[in-house]
Amino acid sequence: MRVLMFGWEFPPQISGGLGVACEGLVRGLLQSGAEVVLVLPRYPHRKSSGRLRILEALADPADATRPPADALHVRRIETALRPYGPPANAEPVGDTATPAREAAAALYGPNLASEVLRYAGRAAAIARRERFDVIHAHDWMTFPAGLEARRVSGRPLVVHVHATEYDRAGEGGNPFVREIEREGVSRADRVIAVSRYTANRLAREYGVPRRRLRVVHNAIDGGRPQRRGPAEGDSPLVLFAGRVTWQKGPEYFVEAAARVAREMPEARFAVAGSGDRLPSLRERVRQLGLQRNILFTGFLPAAELDRLYRRADVYVMPSFSEPFGLTALEALRHGTPVIVSRGAGVSEVVRNVLAVDFGDIEDLASKILSVILFAPLRTTLSRRGGREVERLSWRRSAERVMSVYAELTRRPEAPPPP
Amino acid sequence: MTRVALVFAAHAPWRLRRYNYFDVGRNHEYFDREAMSRRIAGLDAGSLEPATALLAAALDRHPRLAFGLALSGPFLDQLALWAPARLPAFRRLVDTGRVEPLAQTSHRSLLWSSSAKELAVQVRAHGERLERHLGRTPRVFGGEDGGDANALSAALGAQGFFGRLDIGADTSDLPADPVASPSPDRDAILPLRVNLTTLGRSRVADSLAQLGRWIDAASASSDVRFVTPSEAIQAVGPEPPAPSSRPAPNELQRDARAALATLQTPRPDAEDPETVEDYRRLTGSDHFDAMALPRGGGAPATPPFDSPYEAYMAFRHAIADLELRFGGASPRRASALRIPA
């Protein structure tokens, strides 16, 4: 199976779960015997390895490729688009956040709308040149490229939805992004959702028929959970890791932290990540007088984040809407108990987590305190959650994706001989 | 001749509500009374009313029909609270002299959680409840997994009980033909336990009508003899206490037990009766069953909880509040709740 894949993020250039998921899936596909040509806007790193080749669509800033005239039936709006929340020109949030700001700027450019359309324009040329059986496009930024590649090649298109504009912004999302998203999921031959939660959303919001929807859960590789836990005498540590955007509910984390700190003044909280809500969040922490309790680490490289997971007593993901929530799997892999918003996609694959209703600060604070106070709860969540995560693998998820490809590329049966 | 020991059983748990950390020391209501009253009302209309009517009619029609009634303490208490009109219907069954109520612990307690003395108190309390509601003092203990067989035997012996009847699990289907049902030993007793609270629930007309037809057929046959629990024990001799059928407790259940055990058994003379009653309700086995962690990683939900973890947290917080009410805990909730790793 030869796959022409359109992505936007790929390690080491990532700003969130999309890049991690894209890499995991590519690795799984390669293990399953697929050949992958991965098209990224820019990728100043090693570009081929075995059956994987990486092409840069927008490496040349002077590239004059015009956006396709007919690939999209959407209005073109010049606007500061936010791929996953923070605009590239987010205000500085402290020294540690600078790399993240730069990463986001490098990935998403000053004007994402024209980048997305320029990328789609290059997709046609690439699709004419390359040999492939199926096209796979990750999230709205690459949907126009996927549609364009299908137009010139006639090959089937699979779009993969990691998050919708509704998850990112609720009712107040960007109409341009919504329109691209609607166009992509409506015209694709198959739509892969990262959870049943997301599949339901696509059916409800965009009217995607169930017969074209498939659910393939994200996964994680990496073997047995590592031993973790605070050392004797350490203060309890509660961790939030992710984009500091409206979608991820960081405000609720801080409000719950205030409730917890009133009961347990020695408790510490870490916010690992950056995003447009960071300045207001810092201000709220000052108002609450929690500067000594809450640490803002900024965006952390994987190894440093792993150290935090191992050290934390509990990991909290209080998202408004969580299509999947890969960081919950990362926390569980380190044996860290997890509290997620009820209904988060990740709870479809791991059940040994605690759930809270979005915005229920008292319940969230109560559960944080319970995990800290009740050692048997902590160890049971850690052990059983860790075991659940061990059973997941990107190879298995990739095999599900391969079967979706097979639905589209299977040759019609030869007519019986006369 | 097949001797059939038919027992109708009913239980309704005290359901914990989502009792959280911040309720501790502020709110002493641990139970979801609204959900429980709704459930009892539904149970009464759907199962209890038609079932007691059917049994009363069958006792009228068949003079040889006899059976046992294993009604739990929590069930009777909830009936008295939310469907009191049904109690006389049960009493009329017992008044025939052919329906024998069985003794249990007053709160469906797991008996490890309390002393032998507390066990004796609970068994006596349920006896008094049966006397009050049904007009009859029980002589045989049954219909409940005793947990600690030795403690149970000692308590039953001390209170002059006639014996303990192991009536096993609920029968999902009655034998189609009671006369033809296998009876390997002519002296053996065929124990049949029918759950009154599921009867008429799923296939309403079906299951009730089937029960009626079954009783008619069995009563008409000269090869079948119904025996009460006392007669069953007389016939086969007292049974040794059966070992508990419960799986070994998991870490959450062990901790919950330990937390309960650290509370002093309340002294009714010294404590407020409501506090003592709440303590006993928290000893109920249902709370521990809701903390069961199944194999394979799944987590079944016991309403209103999403998972065994939720059940555990609500229980631990309730115990912490009870500790405050007993006056034994430090004023700071966090220090009262902290357990060493």
Side-chain angles (χ1 to χ4, degrees):
Chain A
M1 183 71 65
R2 289 164 302 187
V3 186
L4 178 63
M5 185 176 283
F6 292 97
W8 207 271
E9 298 186 10
F10 202 74
Q13 291 183 189
I14 58 166
S15 79
L18 175 66
V20 177
C22 187
E23 186 201 23
L25 181 62
V26 166
R27 198 170 52 237
L29 286 171
L30 296 174
Q31 285 168 359
S32 308
E35 273 177 54
V36 180
V37 173
L38 175 63
V39 183
L40 297 167
R42 294 170 193 83
Y43 195 71
H45 305 279
R46 191 168 166 218
K47 301 211 175 38
S48 79
S49 156
R51 290 190 307 274
L52 170 67
R53 265 190 309 132
I54 296 180
L55 306 179
E56 292 178 286
L58 304 176
D60 177 7
D63 190 320
T65 310
R66 286 177 186 283
D70 54 350
L72 274 174
H73 307 285
V74 294
R75 284 170 300 139
R76 224 182 125 186
I77 302 168
E78 296 294 336
T79 175
L81 276 181
R82 303 184 301 165
Y84 290 96
N89 61 350
E91 79 182 81
V93 288
D95 293 340
T96 46
T98 307
R101 195 156 52 88
E102 284 170 358
L107 275 170
Y108 292 100
N111 190 330
L112 188 57
S114 64
E115 291 275 277
V116 164
L117 297 179
R118 231 153 52 82
Y119 178 82
R122 297 300 307 268
I126 292 169
R128 281 198 189 92
R129 202 169 64 224
E130 296 292 330
R131 291 179 59 221
F132 53 91
D133 304 302
V134 66
I135 307 160
H136 190 136
H138 291 281
D139 269 3
W140 72 272
M141 300 83 70
T142 72
F143 288 177
L147 287 168
E148 191 57 10
R150 184 177 67 175
R151 186 180 65 81
V152 302
S153 68
R155 298 291 184 208
L157 169 65
V158 177
V159 300
H160 199 139
V161 181
H162 299 261
T164 68
E165 184 63 359
Y166 183 85
D167 300 309
R168 291 181 291 262
E171 298 296 344
N174 184 303
F176 175 77
V177 174
R178 269 187 206 279
E179 223 21 62
I180 291 189
E181 226 161 55
R182 177 189 305 280
E183 188 81 6
V185 298
S186 305
R187 292 173 61 192
D189 299 286
R190 287 290 182 276
V191 179
I192 292 178
V194 290
S195 57
R196 290 191 294 277
Y197 173 88
T198 302
N200 292 338
R201 160 113 41 237
L202 290 168
R204 199 169 54 238
E205 301 283 324
Y206 293 129
V208 181
R210 295 278 172 185
R211 64 177 190 282
R212 287 198 289 112
L213 266 173
R214 300 288 179 274
V215 172
V216 178
H217 290 110
N218 284 337
I220 192 167
D221 292 330
R224 292 189 67 82
Q226 302 171 27
R227 273 188 61 78
R228 63 162 282 283
E232 195 64 33
D234 278 350
S235 302
L237 178 67
V238 186
L239 176 64
F240 171 101
R243 288 184 308 275
V244 185
T245 59
W246 176 81
Q247 181 197 349
K248 300 290 180 178
E251 287 86 354
Y252 294 98
F253 180 75
V254 166
E255 298 302 327
R259 298 288 304 262
V260 172
R262 273 208 289 281
E263 299 292 323
M264 195 184 275
E266 71 276 24
R268 295 290 177 269
F269 305 84
V271 175
S274 75
D276 60 347
R277 294 289 175 125
L278 211 40
S280 58
L281 208 59
R282 283 172 176 277
E283 179 50 35
R284 181 68 183 140
V285 166
R286 267 193 295 276
Q287 282 171 6
L288 292 164
L290 290 174
Q291 297 95 317
R292 287 171 57 84
N293 295 83
I294 302 189
L295 169 76
F296 290 91
T297 70
F299 183 88
L300 291 180
E304 282 181 49
L305 187 55
D306 283 354
R307 268 202 296 280
L308 263 187
Y309 282 134
R310 283 198 290 275
R311 164 65 181 81
D313 290 79
V314 55
Y315 175 71
V316 178
M317 202 169 70
S319 310
F320 157 74
S321 177
E322 194 52 81
F324 192 81
L326 261 176
T327 51
L329 297 187
E330 289 172 6
L332 286 171
R333 189 163 72 81
H334 293 286
T336 311
V338 166
I339 303 175
V340 297
S341 286
R342 188 163 279 120
V346 69
S347 49
E348 294 168 20
V349 294
V350 285
R351 286 181 287 181
N352 289 282
V353 297
L354 302 182
V356 292
D357 287 326
F358 172 70
D360 190 340
I361 291 162
E362 180 171 303
D363 191 34
L364 177 55
S366 172
K367 283 178 174 143
I368 291 171
L369 284 159
S370 299
V371 175
I372 294 171
L373 289 167
F374 302 140
L377 178 64
R378 205 164 58 236
T379 53
T380 306
L381 284 167
S382 166
R383 193 179 57 245
R384 290 174 64 92
R387 274 208 299 265
E388 279 189 301
V389 161
E390 260 183 86
R391 285 198 288 269
L392 303 174
S393 79
W394 276 114
R395 169 87 190 250
R396 203 164 304 153
S397 295
E399 278 162 8
R400 297 259 304 123
V401 170
M402 289 288 270
S403 70
V404 177
Y405 295 161
E407 291 172 26
L408 298 170
T409 56
R410 207 175 288 128
R411 286 163 200 277
E413 296 209 353
Chain B
M1 171 80 70
T2 304
R3 282 179 295 186
V4 177
L6 186 60
V7 173
F8 290 94
H11 172 57
W14 280 97
R15 250 184 213 177
L16 277 177
R17 67 180 184 88
R18 294 170 182 271
Y19 188 84
N20 77 26
Y21 176 92
F22 298 97
D23 288 317
V24 177
R26 284 181 199 161
N27 180 345
H28 303 322
E29 181 52 87
Y30 312 139
F31 303 102
D32 189 345
R33 285 168 195 270
E34 205 193 308
M36 289 191 298
S37 66
R38 263 201 318 271
R39 179 168 185 268
I40 288 292
L43 205 60
D44 189 40
S47 299
L48 303 177
E49 200 265 321
T52 49
L54 182 141
L55 291 175
L59 285 161
D60 269 354
R61 267 201 313 280
H62 307 297
R64 293 192 304 124
L65 176 62
F67 53 84
L69 262 187
L71 308 181
S72 81
F75 171 78
L76 283 170
D77 286 355
Q78 292 182 45
L79 217 54
L81 277 172
W82 297 307
R86 199 55 48 214
L87 285 167
F90 280 108
R91 185 170 189 139
R92 278 195 291 278
L93 301 182
V94 175
D95 283 346
T96 61
R98 285 176 283 142
V99 176
E100 180 180 3
L102 290 165
Q104 300 193 350
T105 60
S106 59
H107 291 76
R108 275 277 170 131
S109 292
L110 281 187
L111 301 175
W112 43 259
S113 67
S114 31
S115 61
K117 195 175 145 204
E118 173 65 15
L119 170 64
V121 167
Q122 289 208 14
V123 172
R124 192 175 312 120
H126 190 59
E128 287 164 8
R129 194 193 267 125
L130 292 174
E131 176 67 48
R132 189 165 65 249
H133 292 311
L134 306 182
R136 177 115 172 241
T137 304
R139 301 180 65 220
V140 173
F141 188 98
E144 172 178 347
D145 177 6
D148 182 341
N150 291 330
L152 182 60
S153 292
L156 296 178
Q159 293 191 31
F161 272 95
F162 191 50
R164 173 175 182 272
L165 183 69
D166 186 3
I167 53 175
D170 292 339
T171 307
S172 53
D173 285 307
L174 293 163
D177 177 2
V179 185
S181 38
S183 179
D185 177 352
R186 285 187 56 81
D187 292 328
I189 303 269
L190 176 67
L192 287 176
R193 165 172 159 161
V194 178
N195 187 343
L196 277 176
T197 66
T198 52
L199 201 63
R201 299 284 275 179
S202 43
R203 294 160 294 161
V204 183
D206 217 33
S207 60
L208 280 167
Q210 188 207 358
L211 175 68
R213 281 195 302 274
W214 186 86
I215 289 176
D216 287 346
S219 302
S221 163
S222 56
D223 284 336
V224 173
R225 203 185 130 210
F226 286 104
V227 291
T228 62
S230 287
E231 289 167 340
I233 287 179
Q234 218 157 21
V236 296
E239 285 184 63
S244 173
S245 58
R246 291 178 175 279
N250 65 41
E251 205 175 334
L252 303 178
Q253 290 166 323
R254 276 200 305 276
D255 176 66
R257 287 177 181 199
L260 196 58
T262 59
L263 291 178
Q264 292 293 317
T265 304
R267 287 173 300 131
D269 51 324
E271 307 287 354
D272 152 42
E274 264 184 52
T275 310
V276 174
E277 183 57 22
D278 279 347
Y279 164 81
R280 297 218 161 103
R281 285 173 185 168
L282 287 174
T283 67
S285 57
D286 301 291
H287 308 307
F288 301 88
D289 293 342
M291 297 175 207
L293 294 160
R295 286 173 178 279
T302 307
F305 303 115
D306 290 347
S307 71
Y309 302 113
E310 302 264 351
Y312 167 83
M313 286 184 284
F315 183 84
R316 287 298 272 107
H317 292 137
I319 292 292
D321 184 72
L322 205 54
E323 205 175 339
L324 290 171
R325 288 165 77 185
F326 285 164
S330 114
R332 211 182 127 211
R333 277 174 299 202
S335 27
L337 287 166
R338 189 183 293 276
I339 322 171

